[in-house]
Amino acid sequence: IDLDEKNSFSEIEEKCFRVSKFLQKIELISQYQNKITLRFYFNDPTRNLTEEEGKRELEKIKLKFKV
């Protein structure tokens, strides 16, 4: 994801949490120039999520940022 004046880390984090109801945590893995690598943690407190559900949630986030 690109960092710029309209996409600060806090704004990216806020948008991600709005997009995914299963998103529990975001971890900044690395930053190089104006790009960042993030790790997303998905969880549902009532049941286990399937791999497919996790992939769908990640796709929702990707679409939000057109990655």
Side-chain angles (χ1 to χ4, degrees):
I1 297 177
D2 291 332
L3 287 177
D4 55 28
E5 56 277 346
K6 66 179 179 179
N7 277 330
S8 68
F9 178 73
S10 61
E11 289 177 6
I12 290 170
E13 191 175 39
E14 186 179 310
K15 288 177 186 177
C16 290
F17 279 109
R18 275 191 262 139
V19 169
S20 175
K21 65 181 179 180
F22 297 122
L23 184 59
Q24 295 296 306
K25 178 180 169 184
I26 300 173
E27 187 177 339
L28 178 63
I29 301 299
S30 67
Q31 182 175 352
Y32 178 72
Q33 295 177 354
N34 68 333
K35 301 223 183 258
I36 58 173
T37 302
L38 302 172
R39 180 175 291 145
F40 298 97
Y41 294 88
F42 300 102
N43 186 32
D44 185 340
T46 62
R47 63 182 179 83
N48 289 334
L49 294 177
T50 65
E51 183 178 347
E52 283 303 312
E53 289 171 314
K55 286 179 180 180
R56 276 195 303 267
E57 294 301 305
L58 188 56
E59 283 303 312
K60 288 182 197 176
I61 292 170
K62 285 179 170 182
L63 288 174
K64 181 72 175 176
F65 295 98
K66 294 175 178 71
V67 174

